[in-house]
Amino acid sequence: MDVVTKFYQALNKLDIKYDEETGRLSKPIVFVVYDSSRKIQAKRLFILKNYFLILREEENDTRKIQFKHIKGFQYVDKSEIIT
């Protein structure tokens, strides 16, 4: 199963809505990245060819995470990691 499908399944399981046009999530989600299980929180993102582009409006910054580096997704309250 590809990571985009897993992303949508995680959103469904965590009851988070995603607006593809604006990139906004109804609640923040955490991306768990393979290197050291680093966790990156996202409130707004876009799904591109082979990566997620996370917009960090508070910091006026962006973050690119390639699909191959995603280990799973997690709700901000530190619930189980959805892989």
Side-chain angles (χ1 to χ4, degrees), residues 40-71:
I40 300 167
Q41 183 174 324
K43 296 178 184 175
R44 188 173 182 199
L45 62 96
F46 291 98
I47 302 169
L48 300 174
K49 184 176 180 179
N50 60 354
Y51 61 92
F52 291 101
L53 181 65
I54 298 173
L55 304 175
R56 297 194 243 179
E57 295 173 331
E58 304 84 26
E59 301 166 15
N60 197 22
D61 192 19
T62 60
R63 179 80 188 239
K64 180 171 123 176
I65 304 175
Q66 293 184 1
F67 294 158
K68 66 182 179 182
H69 296 296
I70 300 293
K71 180 178 180 182

Side-chain angles (χ1 to χ4, degrees), residues 17-51:
K17 305 295 182 235
Y18 173 60
D19 183 333
E20 292 180 3
E21 188 174 314
T22 65
R24 295 197 186 279
L25 297 165
S26 62
K27 301 176 206 167
I29 192 169
V30 172
F31 287 78
V32 181
V33 182
Y34 274 113
D35 60 346
S36 307
S37 292
R38 188 175 64 216
K39 297 177 180 176
I40 300 167
Q41 183 174 324
K43 296 178 184 175
R44 188 173 182 199
L45 62 96
F46 291 98
I47 302 169
L48 300 174
K49 184 176 180 179
N50 60 354
Y51 61 92

